[in-house]
Amino acid sequence: MKNAEIKSPQYARSLIEASLDPLVTISTMGKITDMNEALTNLTGISREQLIGTDFKDYFTDSRKARKVYKEVFAKGFVIDSPLTMRDSKSTDVLFNGSVYKDGRGKVLGAVVVARDITERKRIERQLIEARVFAELAASMAELAKTKAEGATRYAESAMKAKQQFLSNMSHEIRTPMNAIIGFTKVVLKTDLSAEQKEYLIAIKMSGDSLIVLIDDILDLAKVDAGKMSFEKTPFRMTTSLAVMLKLFQTKIQEKNIEIVSEYDIDIPGVLMGDAMRLHQIFINLISNAVKFTNEGKITVCARLLSEDAEHATIEFSVTDTGIGISKEKLGQVFENFQQATSGTSRLYGGTGLGLAIVKQLVELQGGTITVKSEVDKGSTFSFNLNFQKTNGEAELEVELIELDKEIKNIKVLVVEDIPLNQLLMKTLLDDFGFERDVAANGKIAIEKLKAGSYDIILMDLQMPEMNGFVATDYIRNTMQSKIPIIALTADVTTVDLEKCKAVGMNDYISKPVDERILYSKMMALVKKPAPEVKKARDKNSNEVKTSTRCIDLGSLSQRTRKDPSLMKEMILLYLDQTPTLIHAMKQSFNDKDWNGLHMAAHTLIPSFSIMGIHVDFENMAKKIQEYAIAQRQAEGMDEIVLQLENICLQACKELQEELKELKMQTYAT
Ligand code: ADP
């Protein structure tokens, strides 16, 4: 490009106009001398009007504008000086400029370029706003977190307080209720007029329902707190159901209705699960069925739904021919405090909590529950549960056994601090015909154990001086004693079954004590053959089976403390009842009289261990009992009946011999 072109005014103008940013030249006096179109566009003022006017007048802050122009001339340049134009949009600009001089270096004026930074400022502002918002949000989140943590802590401590309160209340209510219900039962056994009996039954029933209510509320609180836990222990489903059905025998007879069980014998013998909770589900459903049925029958059904190598799914149902539930109410019966009609409570009692708990118990174990019902026809509650299969043996189970007044000579140590409970226990044990001794705390119990011998201990947990856990720990670990210990507890929420087991207790029973359960649990523990005896027999198990002698009176003589007259009595009893039972078993098997078969097998079962007959035969009798409960004939059953007949006849023969021996001994002494 030629020098002349560069110097041409058009060239200078095109350079000025090339800038998209507003550009202006000012004289040393601060007057506008030239500008580009961008500036006239921005200000909306024509070139002619702008020329010769004061530079500073076009800015919102004219003093600041004057400073800028002064700075240019003082320093010779200005960089990024911020100003706001006095235009309709108050455009924010940054001024950059420098002076221009003539050939001799004299300053003629200044060229300043204004950069519109509205957009930049907007973004900046937005960024700042965003940052402020972000900071605000962060601090709000922090605040919310702190609040939430506080709320959680509060809720947790409220929940803990609720649990503690319920647990304490449970204990406080159960303790006197234990005495009320217990002594009512004691008085009920005495001679009473019909009227007195009626009043006492009313007291007992009210007490029982109060205990049910406490248990229900505690269970719901547990579900609320997410503390409902389920055991996974091996149990025998048939035994579990049989025990439960037995509990309803009296009620059923009173109401003149029938209870039928349909048990699928394909259900694996031993399963892993929570037998106690299954019991609780059934008790609730059957209680309702009994309560709401006045004629007809109740059918309790267990059916194998599906099975694989590891699990079995079982469908259970309870069907009644009772009053039924209307369609509108059917959807609500599983809700808390819901009853089908407002008059239900008045007519039938109850609180409407039972089914809510049943639903929770089923669903928390991964099962489902449904109900079908028709008014005046009846209802069916069905639920299914999945159980893990096991080859293991079922844990010690309580099979409800009838009070046998013949069994005496069992010495019980009751460890209990509350005098009322002591008295109640004494009365119960006297009824059982057992000998008993009482210790007011763990320490006294240990002294008594050191001084005398006992067959079983009933141990309260909360006691002054030394509680039940510490005492049991001492008995097991320091004294190295294997004496059976049953824990007695009035507090079902905090009773830590694991803790009971961990210190070496064999079982536990909650107050108010059900005397049948107490008796059965005690008998199950005292009748268990001593481990040493069992081991010796296990070693020679073949020999036992093939040996000509099938009985072993070791455990009988231990239990009767070698008292020959007592042994004689027991043997006579066996000789007296066994042939009749065998006959009844055979007859009812041939006639498919399942109830008769159940009764015969059931009565025979305890006699095997009493007379030391090999456990295989006891298991055979249990098998027969299972088939009878299931009301089904299975392959090989006739063979088992025959084997049982043979072994019992052989046992009778051997016991006749023993009896002769014992008679000789008695004459000799
Ligand atoms: P509760 O029996 O204590 O009232 P449940 O939760 O066990 O509480 O039962 C809720 C309601 O459902 C009962 O009050 C009754 O109206 C109805 N119900 C439950 N089972 C049956 C049944 N088998 N037959 C008729 N109604 C029933």
Side-chain angles (χ1 to χ4, degrees), residues 321-341:
T321 52
I323 61 168
I325 307 163
S326 71
K327 266 202 182 71
E328 305 81 68
K329 285 287 175 183
L330 206 54
Q332 294 165 20
V333 290
F334 291 115
E335 288 168 22
N336 289 356
F337 297 106
Q338 280 297 331
Q339 297 193 314
T341 66

Side-chain angles (χ1 to χ4, degrees), residues 356-628:
I357 291 161
V358 164
K359 186 174 157 70
Q360 294 285 354
L361 291 180
V362 171
E363 289 180 353
L364 289 170
Q365 293 184 84
T368 48
I369 182 159
T370 53
V371 55
K372 281 192 198 132
S373 188
E374 212 175 311
V375 173
D376 292 335
K377 289 258 166 67
S379 319
T380 297
F381 286 85
S382 320
F383 62 99
N384 55 48
L385 287 175
N386 187 270
F387 297 91
Q388 203 181 318
K389 295 200 313 198
T390 173
N391 291 325
E393 273 293 304
E395 273 200 359
L396 183 71
E397 293 169 325
V398 212
E399 199 172 328
L400 286 185
I401 45 179
E402 299 304 327
L403 182 64
D404 184 349
K405 295 266 187 189
E406 294 304 319
I407 302 174
K408 295 185 194 308
N409 273 19
I410 291 178
K411 199 164 176 197
V412 188
L413 178 60
V414 179
V415 193
E416 166 74 71
D417 59 324
I418 300 171
L420 261 180
N421 287 346
Q422 289 175 355
L423 180 60
L424 188 58
M425 271 301 164
K426 279 188 209 163
T427 326
L428 271 182
L429 295 173
D430 285 350
D431 242 19
F432 294 169
F434 296 168
E435 275 181 57
R436 37 67 184 172
D437 202 351
V438 176
N441 62 46
K443 219 166 171 182
I444 302 172
I446 289 167
E447 279 159 22
K448 285 193 179 268
L449 268 182
K450 283 179 181 164
S453 87
Y454 298 89
D455 296 298
I456 188 162
I457 300 176
L458 300 179
M459 178 84 79
D460 187 25
L461 295 180
Q462 296 181 13
M463 285 176 295
E465 293 256 5
M466 186 190 274
N467 70 31
F469 294 115
V470 180
T472 307
D473 186 56
Y474 186 90
I475 294 167
R476 291 284 182 254
N477 296 318
T478 311
M479 293 178 71
Q480 294 283 321
S481 165
K482 287 187 177 138
I483 184 167
I485 302 176
I486 299 181
L488 297 172
T489 172
D491 180 358
V492 280
T493 44
T494 52
V495 52
D496 191 345
L497 293 188
E498 286 305 313
K499 206 169 157 193
C500 282
K501 273 188 196 163
V503 290
M505 290 183 184
N506 300 69
D507 207 338
Y508 90 104
I509 184 160
S510 65
K511 296 177 195 172
V513 170
D514 181 312
E515 58 190 80
R516 270 195 304 172
I517 296 178
L518 176 69
Y519 182 76
S520 306
K521 286 196 173 194
M522 288 176 76
M523 289 310 289
L525 285 168
V526 289
K527 82 168 188 203
K528 255 179 48 170
E532 303 74 47
V533 179
K534 197 171 176 240
K535 248 186 241 153
R537 296 222 351 244
D538 282 349
K539 246 196 267 160
N540 308 313
S541 66
N542 276 340
E543 197 189 308
V544 171
K545 271 192 208 166
T546 52
S547 97
T548 44
R549 242 181 115 71
C550 74
I551 57 156
D552 175 353
L553 295 187
S555 81
L556 183 64
S557 89
Q558 202 181 24
R559 285 180 52 195
T560 54
R561 305 232 175 84
K562 296 202 174 84
D563 176 346
S565 57
L566 204 59
M567 278 182 75
K568 237 168 50 193
E569 251 185 271
M570 295 287 282
I571 293 172
L572 275 172
L573 196 73
Y574 183 89
L575 291 174
D576 184 45
Q577 71 163 24
T578 308
T580 326
L581 284 173
I582 292 290
H583 177 75
M585 181 173 72
K586 270 170 48 185
Q587 190 70 46
S588 47
F589 173 67
N590 289 336
D591 297 345
K592 294 198 173 57
D593 166 11
W594 304 118
N595 281 341
L597 184 61
H598 179 197
M599 280 308 295
H602 183 76
T603 323
L604 263 180
I605 289 168
S607 68
F608 293 96
S609 80
I610 295 173
M611 294 307 162
I613 302 170
H614 197 274
V615 69
D616 280 357
F617 296 103
E618 185 176 329
N619 287 339
M620 281 184 195
K622 282 187 177 161
K623 200 98 207 149
I624 296 280
Q625 183 180 245
E626 276 174 31
Y627 289 142

Side-chain angles (χ1 to χ4, degrees), residues 216 284-285 288-293 320 322-325 333-335 338-341 344-345 349-356 373 378-379 381:
D216 282 357
N284 265 301
L285 296 180
N288 279 347
V290 173
K291 190 158 74 169
F292 297 107
T293 305
D320 63 55
I323 61 168
I325 307 163
V333 290
F334 291 115
E335 288 168 22
Q338 280 297 331
Q339 297 193 314
T341 66
T344 303
S345 176
T351 52
L353 284 179
L355 289 179
S373 188
S379 319
F381 286 85

Side-chain angles (χ1 to χ4, degrees), residues 85-101:
M85 306 275 309
R86 188 181 283 168
D87 60 352
S88 59
K89 291 186 276 178
S90 299
T91 313
D92 287 314
V93 290
L94 277 183
F95 268 101
N96 286 285
S98 60
V99 292
Y100 63 89
K101 303 172 182 168

Side-chain angles (χ1 to χ4, degrees), residues 19 30 42 72 78 85 87 131 157 199 212 255 285 311 379 394 404 459 462 512 547 619 657:
S19 165
L42 182 71
V72 183
V78 65
M85 306 275 309
D87 60 352
R131 211 182 66 222
S157 70
Y199 295 155
V212 170
K255 288 199 85 172
L285 296 180
H311 294 94
S379 319
D404 184 349
M459 178 84 79
Q462 296 181 13
S547 97
N619 287 339
E657 298 292 330

